Amino acid sequence: MSLETVSANRSHGGTQGVYRHPSAETGTEMTFSVFVPDHAPGARLPVLWYLSGLTCTHANVMEKGEFRAACAQHGVIFIAPDTSPRGDDVPDHDGYDFGKGAGFYVDATREPWAQHFRMRAYIETELPALVAQHFPVDMARQGITGHSMGGHGALTTALRNPDRFRSVSAFSPIVSPLHCPWGEKALGGYLGDDRGSWREYDACALIEDGARVPDLLVDQGTADGFLEEQLRTPLLAAACKKAGQPATIRMQEGYDHSYYFISTFMAEHVGWHAQRLNA
């Protein structure tokens, strides 16, 4: 699988790169970023995937996330994909919360979205295979995290693939798309009106249906304007408690939905993942 290097910069004793490749799943070119800490020749490092939120690309966390020092300290590769397919031939929507920049990490089944909006298959299958071919990753040691829509993606991806991911965390995730306007718009638009088919893309529903991970960590700001209507963190806390799913859900006083919040707790999340990935 071909890979083009868009940029490569020295940072924190490692290399921050941006890469582009043709995707069979989305039918478009896709861009993603990878930070690789310095390491011994031949070494394979654990990997932490980061899924971004609505309107974002790989660049938001790469430029604002402040993860590199912690990743260099713990010897963890950090990979940030884009949030959706892009290009002139890709359908779009007038709203920021649907279409380009809002792939919701699902495989769309409704037209005109089904041809290109296959972010689940891209994240779960195609991109990991490409990364394994081109980077010094130990695919037996994978963790996943994300923010907002990407927090939804991280939680649901890990819950569907518990044998693949040793650790999962999230910043201000959409915990139940079945019960919020963003989720209802996205899942209805991409998948159709059968709400039963939405459950595999809803962290609370997956836990209710028996999915489990060893542990999960969530940080949520109390001053987040999306908390009550869209993110609905108490639903996840209740689902985990009812199912006996281990979870650390921290309400961080005064923090909002921005990267000021994410960057404050990013090093803690990297360290939390590293402890599990290096065990």
Side-chain angles (χ1 to χ4, degrees), residues 181-207:
W182 278 342
E184 291 184 354
K185 181 175 182 177
L187 299 186
Y190 291 133
L191 304 177
D193 296 331
D194 177 12
R195 294 176 70 92
S197 69
W198 299 9
R199 294 185 69 83
E200 61 187 310
Y201 297 111
D202 184 297
C204 292
L206 285 165
I207 291 169

mmCIF file of all heavy atoms in Angstrom, residues 181-207:
data_model
loop_
_atom_site.group_PDB
_atom_site.id
_atom_site.type_symbol
_atom_site.label_atom_id
_atom_site.label_comp_id
_atom_site.label_asym_id
_atom_site.label_seq_id
_atom_site.Cartn_x
_atom_site.Cartn_y
_atom_site.Cartn_z
ATOM 1 N N PRO A 181 -29.153 14.999 19.767
ATOM 2 C CA PRO A 181 -29.417 15.513 18.417
ATOM 3 C C PRO A 181 -28.299 15.233 17.418
ATOM 4 O O PRO A 181 -28.573 14.884 16.261
ATOM 5 C CB PRO A 181 -29.606 17.018 18.646
ATOM 6 C CG PRO A 181 -30.096 17.124 20.054
ATOM 7 C CD PRO A 181 -29.371 16.042 20.806
ATOM 8 N N TRP A 182 -27.025 15.413 17.825
ATOM 9 C CA TRP A 182 -25.927 15.118 16.899
ATOM 10 C C TRP A 182 -26.004 13.673 16.420
ATOM 11 O O TRP A 182 -25.872 13.388 15.235
ATOM 12 C CB TRP A 182 -24.580 15.331 17.598
ATOM 13 C CG TRP A 182 -24.103 16.741 17.647
ATOM 14 C CD1 TRP A 182 -24.522 17.797 16.887
ATOM 15 C CD2 TRP A 182 -23.083 17.254 18.516
ATOM 16 N NE1 TRP A 182 -23.827 18.935 17.233
ATOM 17 C CE2 TRP A 182 -22.946 18.630 18.223
ATOM 18 C CE3 TRP A 182 -22.285 16.679 19.501
ATOM 19 C CZ2 TRP A 182 -22.018 19.437 18.890
ATOM 20 C CZ3 TRP A 182 -21.374 17.479 20.172
ATOM 21 C CH2 TRP A 182 -21.240 18.847 19.865
ATOM 22 N N GLY A 183 -26.192 12.765 17.364
ATOM 23 C CA GLY A 183 -26.206 11.347 17.026
ATOM 24 C C GLY A 183 -27.401 10.955 16.189
ATOM 25 O O GLY A 183 -27.279 10.185 15.224
ATOM 26 N N GLU A 184 -28.565 11.465 16.541
ATOM 27 C CA GLU A 184 -29.756 11.123 15.776
ATOM 28 C C GLU A 184 -29.652 11.613 14.337
ATOM 29 O O GLU A 184 -30.058 10.919 13.402
ATOM 30 C CB GLU A 184 -30.999 11.699 16.461
ATOM 31 C CG GLU A 184 -31.323 11.008 17.783
ATOM 32 C CD GLU A 184 -32.606 11.524 18.413
ATOM 33 O OE1 GLU A 184 -33.177 12.498 17.878
ATOM 34 O OE2 GLU A 184 -33.019 10.953 19.432
ATOM 35 N N LYS A 185 -29.086 12.794 14.148
ATOM 36 C CA LYS A 185 -28.909 13.320 12.793
ATOM 37 C C LYS A 185 -27.912 12.474 12.014
ATOM 38 O O LYS A 185 -28.167 12.095 10.858
ATOM 39 C CB LYS A 185 -28.430 14.774 12.863
ATOM 40 C CG LYS A 185 -28.233 15.421 11.506
ATOM 41 C CD LYS A 185 -27.864 16.895 11.656
ATOM 42 C CE LYS A 185 -27.711 17.583 10.302
ATOM 43 N NZ LYS A 185 -27.417 19.030 10.458
ATOM 44 N N ALA A 186 -26.779 12.155 12.633
ATOM 45 C CA ALA A 186 -25.733 11.416 11.936
ATOM 46 C C ALA A 186 -26.143 9.977 11.654
ATOM 47 O O ALA A 186 -26.044 9.501 10.512
ATOM 48 C CB ALA A 186 -24.445 11.445 12.754
ATOM 49 N N LEU A 187 -26.602 9.260 12.675
ATOM 50 C CA LEU A 187 -26.925 7.854 12.480
ATOM 51 C C LEU A 187 -28.154 7.691 11.598
ATOM 52 O O LEU A 187 -28.205 6.788 10.758
ATOM 53 C CB LEU A 187 -27.124 7.168 13.831
ATOM 54 C CG LEU A 187 -25.900 7.174 14.756
ATOM 55 C CD1 LEU A 187 -26.166 6.338 15.999
ATOM 56 C CD2 LEU A 187 -24.650 6.687 14.051
ATOM 57 N N GLY A 188 -29.139 8.568 11.751
ATOM 58 C CA GLY A 188 -30.291 8.524 10.863
ATOM 59 C C GLY A 188 -29.902 8.807 9.426
ATOM 60 O O GLY A 188 -30.371 8.149 8.492
ATOM 61 N N GLY A 189 -29.036 9.795 9.237
ATOM 62 C CA GLY A 189 -28.625 10.171 7.887
ATOM 63 C C GLY A 189 -27.757 9.131 7.212
ATOM 64 O O GLY A 189 -27.919 8.845 6.018
ATOM 65 N N TYR A 190 -26.837 8.552 7.956
ATOM 66 C CA TYR A 190 -25.911 7.585 7.374
ATOM 67 C C TYR A 190 -26.478 6.168 7.309
ATOM 68 O O TYR A 190 -26.152 5.406 6.400
ATOM 69 C CB TYR A 190 -24.608 7.540 8.181
ATOM 70 C CG TYR A 190 -23.764 8.782 8.071
ATOM 71 C CD1 TYR A 190 -23.228 9.369 9.215
ATOM 72 C CD2 TYR A 190 -23.485 9.370 6.841
ATOM 73 C CE1 TYR A 190 -22.442 10.514 9.137
ATOM 74 C CE2 TYR A 190 -22.706 10.514 6.749
ATOM 75 C CZ TYR A 190 -22.190 11.087 7.903
ATOM 76 O OH TYR A 190 -21.408 12.219 7.824
ATOM 77 N N LEU A 191 -27.327 5.805 8.292
ATOM 78 C CA LEU A 191 -27.760 4.414 8.421
ATOM 79 C C LEU A 191 -29.239 4.190 8.154
ATOM 80 O O LEU A 191 -29.654 3.050 7.922
ATOM 81 C CB LEU A 191 -27.437 3.894 9.831
ATOM 82 C CG LEU A 191 -25.980 4.002 10.286
ATOM 83 C CD1 LEU A 191 -25.855 3.524 11.725
ATOM 84 C CD2 LEU A 191 -25.057 3.199 9.377
ATOM 85 N N GLY A 192 -30.054 5.227 8.223
ATOM 86 C CA GLY A 192 -31.479 5.051 8.011
ATOM 87 C C GLY A 192 -32.258 5.056 9.317
ATOM 88 O O GLY A 192 -31.726 5.318 10.386
ATOM 89 N N ASP A 193 -33.543 4.715 9.214
ATOM 90 C CA ASP A 193 -34.469 4.897 10.329
ATOM 91 C C ASP A 193 -34.518 3.728 11.311
ATOM 92 O O ASP A 193 -35.148 3.840 12.358
ATOM 93 C CB ASP A 193 -35.882 5.146 9.788
ATOM 94 C CG ASP A 193 -35.977 6.435 8.985
ATOM 95 O OD1 ASP A 193 -35.197 7.368 9.296
ATOM 96 O OD2 ASP A 193 -36.801 6.496 8.054
ATOM 97 N N ASP A 194 -33.896 2.613 10.994
ATOM 98 C CA ASP A 194 -33.903 1.452 11.888
ATOM 99 C C ASP A 194 -32.956 1.700 13.056
ATOM 100 O O ASP A 194 -31.745 1.490 12.951
ATOM 101 C CB ASP A 194 -33.490 0.186 11.131
ATOM 102 C CG ASP A 194 -33.418 -1.040 12.041
ATOM 103 O OD1 ASP A 194 -33.898 -0.966 13.187
ATOM 104 O OD2 ASP A 194 -32.870 -2.072 11.591
ATOM 105 N N ARG A 195 -33.501 2.126 14.175
ATOM 106 C CA ARG A 195 -32.667 2.481 15.319
ATOM 107 C C ARG A 195 -31.947 1.271 15.910
ATOM 108 O O ARG A 195 -30.934 1.429 16.591
ATOM 109 C CB ARG A 195 -33.515 3.180 16.390
ATOM 110 C CG ARG A 195 -34.051 4.534 15.932
ATOM 111 C CD ARG A 195 -34.971 5.154 16.977
ATOM 112 N NE ARG A 195 -34.257 5.597 18.159
ATOM 113 C CZ ARG A 195 -33.765 6.816 18.341
ATOM 114 N NH1 ARG A 195 -33.882 7.731 17.380
ATOM 115 N NH2 ARG A 195 -33.159 7.135 19.467
ATOM 116 N N GLY A 196 -32.446 0.078 15.641
ATOM 117 C CA GLY A 196 -31.742 -1.115 16.088
ATOM 118 C C GLY A 196 -30.359 -1.233 15.470
ATOM 119 O O GLY A 196 -29.421 -1.716 16.112
ATOM 120 N N SER A 197 -30.216 -0.761 14.229
ATOM 121 C CA SER A 197 -28.919 -0.821 13.556
ATOM 122 C C SER A 197 -27.951 0.222 14.089
ATOM 123 O O SER A 197 -26.750 0.163 13.799
ATOM 124 C CB SER A 197 -29.099 -0.633 12.048
ATOM 125 O OG SER A 197 -29.503 0.704 11.743
ATOM 126 N N TRP A 198 -28.453 1.168 14.867
ATOM 127 C CA TRP A 198 -27.599 2.210 15.439
ATOM 128 C C TRP A 198 -26.841 1.723 16.669
ATOM 129 O O TRP A 198 -25.859 2.342 17.080
ATOM 130 C CB TRP A 198 -28.437 3.410 15.872
ATOM 131 C CG TRP A 198 -29.206 4.110 14.807
ATOM 132 C CD1 TRP A 198 -29.391 3.730 13.507
ATOM 133 C CD2 TRP A 198 -29.946 5.336 14.958
ATOM 134 N NE1 TRP A 198 -30.197 4.616 12.852
ATOM 135 C CE2 TRP A 198 -30.547 5.626 13.719
ATOM 136 C CE3 TRP A 198 -30.159 6.190 16.027
ATOM 137 C CZ2 TRP A 198 -31.337 6.745 13.518
ATOM 138 C CZ3 TRP A 198 -30.947 7.313 15.843
ATOM 139 C CH2 TRP A 198 -31.526 7.590 14.593
ATOM 140 N N ARG A 199 -27.301 0.633 17.298
ATOM 141 C CA ARG A 199 -26.781 0.259 18.612
ATOM 142 C C ARG A 199 -25.290 -0.070 18.597
ATOM 143 O O ARG A 199 -24.592 0.154 19.590
ATOM 144 C CB ARG A 199 -27.573 -0.929 19.181
ATOM 145 C CG ARG A 199 -29.014 -0.579 19.491
ATOM 146 C CD ARG A 199 -29.763 -1.725 20.159
ATOM 147 N NE ARG A 199 -29.303 -1.987 21.514
ATOM 148 C CZ ARG A 199 -29.702 -1.317 22.585
ATOM 149 N NH1 ARG A 199 -30.561 -0.307 22.461
ATOM 150 N NH2 ARG A 199 -29.246 -1.628 23.784
ATOM 151 N N GLU A 200 -24.778 -0.572 17.491
ATOM 152 C CA GLU A 200 -23.347 -0.888 17.432
ATOM 153 C C GLU A 200 -22.489 0.375 17.358
ATOM 154 O O GLU A 200 -21.260 0.296 17.416
ATOM 155 C CB GLU A 200 -23.050 -1.804 16.251
ATOM 156 C CG GLU A 200 -23.379 -1.214 14.898
ATOM 157 C CD GLU A 200 -23.219 -2.242 13.783
ATOM 158 O OE1 GLU A 200 -22.162 -2.897 13.736
ATOM 159 O OE2 GLU A 200 -24.167 -2.395 12.985
ATOM 160 N N TYR A 201 -23.120 1.528 17.244
ATOM 161 C CA TYR A 201 -22.416 2.807 17.236
ATOM 162 C C TYR A 201 -22.761 3.659 18.460
ATOM 163 O O TYR A 201 -22.601 4.882 18.431
ATOM 164 C CB TYR A 201 -22.740 3.575 15.954
ATOM 165 C CG TYR A 201 -22.283 2.880 14.700
ATOM 166 C CD1 TYR A 201 -23.195 2.346 13.800
ATOM 167 C CD2 TYR A 201 -20.917 2.727 14.419
ATOM 168 C CE1 TYR A 201 -22.778 1.707 12.637
ATOM 169 C CE2 TYR A 201 -20.493 2.082 13.270
ATOM 170 C CZ TYR A 201 -21.425 1.582 12.386
ATOM 171 O OH TYR A 201 -20.999 0.938 11.237
ATOM 172 N N ASP A 202 -23.212 3.026 19.511
ATOM 173 C CA ASP A 202 -23.614 3.730 20.727
ATOM 174 C C ASP A 202 -22.946 3.034 21.907
ATOM 175 O O ASP A 202 -23.223 1.861 22.185
ATOM 176 C CB ASP A 202 -25.141 3.689 20.850
ATOM 177 C CG ASP A 202 -25.661 4.475 22.041
ATOM 178 O OD1 ASP A 202 -25.327 4.102 23.190
ATOM 179 O OD2 ASP A 202 -26.431 5.441 21.832
ATOM 180 N N ALA A 203 -22.059 3.730 22.625
ATOM 181 C CA ALA A 203 -21.296 3.093 23.703
ATOM 182 C C ALA A 203 -22.212 2.550 24.792
ATOM 183 O O ALA A 203 -22.005 1.434 25.291
ATOM 184 C CB ALA A 203 -20.295 4.079 24.292
ATOM 185 N N CYS A 204 -23.215 3.325 25.186
ATOM 186 C CA CYS A 204 -24.119 2.857 26.241
ATOM 187 C C CYS A 204 -24.883 1.617 25.793
ATOM 188 O O CYS A 204 -25.045 0.663 26.566
ATOM 189 C CB CYS A 204 -25.087 3.970 26.629
ATOM 190 S SG CYS A 204 -24.301 5.371 27.457
ATOM 191 N N ALA A 205 -25.362 1.615 24.549
ATOM 192 C CA ALA A 205 -26.097 0.457 24.040
ATOM 193 C C ALA A 205 -25.191 -0.766 23.942
ATOM 194 O O ALA A 205 -25.619 -1.889 24.257
ATOM 195 C CB ALA A 205 -26.692 0.785 22.674
ATOM 196 N N LEU A 206 -23.962 -0.589 23.505
ATOM 197 C CA LEU A 206 -23.033 -1.710 23.426
ATOM 198 C C LEU A 206 -22.793 -2.327 24.802
ATOM 199 O O LEU A 206 -22.764 -3.561 24.949
ATOM 200 C CB LEU A 206 -21.712 -1.256 22.809
ATOM 201 C CG LEU A 206 -21.718 -1.028 21.296
ATOM 202 C CD1 LEU A 206 -20.482 -0.241 20.863
ATOM 203 C CD2 LEU A 206 -21.767 -2.364 20.555
ATOM 204 N N ILE A 207 -22.611 -1.483 25.812
ATOM 205 C CA ILE A 207 -22.424 -1.987 27.173
ATOM 206 C C ILE A 207 -23.687 -2.697 27.652
ATOM 207 O O ILE A 207 -23.627 -3.785 28.237
ATOM 208 C CB ILE A 207 -22.024 -0.836 28.109
ATOM 209 C CG1 ILE A 207 -20.615 -0.344 27.761
ATOM 210 C CG2 ILE A 207 -22.084 -1.272 29.576
ATOM 211 C CD1 ILE A 207 -20.224 0.947 28.436
#
